[in-house]
Amino acid sequence: MPTATAPAPRKVTRPRADAVRNRERIVTAAREMFVEHGPDVPLDEIARRAGVGNATVYRNFPDREALVREVVCSVMDRTAEAAELALAETGDAFAALERFVHASADERISALCPMISSTFDQHHPDLQASRERVEQLIEEVMGRARAAGQLRPDVGVGDLMIVVAQLSRPPAGTDCLRGDRFVHRHLQLFLDGLRAPARSALPGEAVTIEELRAS
């Protein structure tokens, strides 16, 4: 009786290294140009800055919405990774919180996240996954810092996200790059104000993520 032949193992197709590099260069160039010029910057200019052809951009991202979404997701993922790395390296929850805040400013998260407006699908699974990862991580980090007596008890995740967005955006009428030199200084002032014990009582109640989304 003939023995059954085991099926050949399926080959996992992986993108070539140069294809991965091209995609990363496109996302990096798009992030820079979206910050400088907004989400309507021509895709051929993004291709030129990335050093690739237009066809390479469209092969990776079939439309502008896909590219904007990838840029925003990559920014949120990197800020989350910065906090995770700080927590793993030091075990210090407040240090992880500081790393997240400063990484958010470096990634220009305040300029990029508003691009996901009514024009785009805010409920795309990739966006939701990246957003939930950031929110859950910061909830955890703030909870640990609060339990350790490092974080004042009257602030919420929504408070943090609002202030990071406001302080990392250059004041109206000022040059974006010139304003950058003040951002980390002012964010550190804010972070120092988060430390326990609190020096004053805050008016109102802590802002939650749910309230932030509904506003």
Side-chain angles (χ1 to χ4, degrees), residues 153-211:
D154 54 351
V155 292
V157 177
D159 292 310
L160 181 80
M161 303 303 281
I162 289 171
V163 175
V164 168
Q166 291 178 339
L167 290 183
S168 58
R169 185 179 297 127
T174 62
D175 179 78
C176 181
L177 296 179
R178 287 177 58 198
D180 277 356
R181 64 195 181 101
F182 305 118
V183 167
H184 292 287
R185 175 184 176 85
H186 296 155
L187 285 173
Q188 192 60 49
L189 280 171
F190 162 66
L191 285 164
D192 286 349
L194 291 182
R195 288 189 178 275
R199 301 295 295 272
S200 61
L202 293 176
E205 297 180 351
V207 181
T208 66
I209 282 295
E210 291 72 26
E211 290 174 311

Side-chain angles (χ1 to χ4, degrees), residues 29-126:
R31 169 185 165 275
E32 293 171 354
M33 298 196 78
F34 288 159
V35 169
E36 294 168 15
H37 306 292
D40 297 325
V41 63
L43 296 185
D44 58 345
E45 291 187 17
I46 293 174
R48 192 175 302 116
R49 179 172 292 195
V52 301
N54 289 1
T56 302
V57 173
Y58 285 105
R59 188 161 54 246
N60 282 276
F61 304 101
D63 53 37
R64 183 181 300 276
E65 179 175 344
L67 180 54
V68 171
R69 185 169 57 245
E70 178 68 16
V71 168
V72 173
C73 285
S74 70
V75 162
M76 288 194 288
D77 288 345
R78 282 198 297 273
T79 55
E81 287 163 6
E84 288 173 335
L85 183 60
L87 201 56
E89 287 175 345
T90 67
D92 185 322
F94 202 92
L97 194 63
E98 289 183 313
R99 185 85 64 91
F100 168 78
V101 166
H102 288 293
S104 296
D106 285 336
E107 292 286 349
R108 306 292 203 282
I109 203 166
S110 64
L112 292 169
C113 286
M115 292 180 186
I116 303 300
S117 61
S118 56
T119 309
F120 299 105
D121 179 8
Q122 300 181 50
H123 304 293
H124 189 281
D126 292 348

Side-chain angles (χ1 to χ4, degrees), residues 116-144:
I116 303 300
S117 61
S118 56
T119 309
F120 299 105
D121 179 8
Q122 300 181 50
H123 304 293
H124 189 281
D126 292 348
L127 273 176
Q128 286 189 318
S130 292
R131 184 164 51 225
E132 287 171 6
R133 179 189 179 195
V134 169
E135 291 171 358
Q136 289 170 5
L137 175 65
I138 299 310
E139 285 270 19
E140 178 188 350
V141 168
M142 290 181 73
R144 290 173 65 167

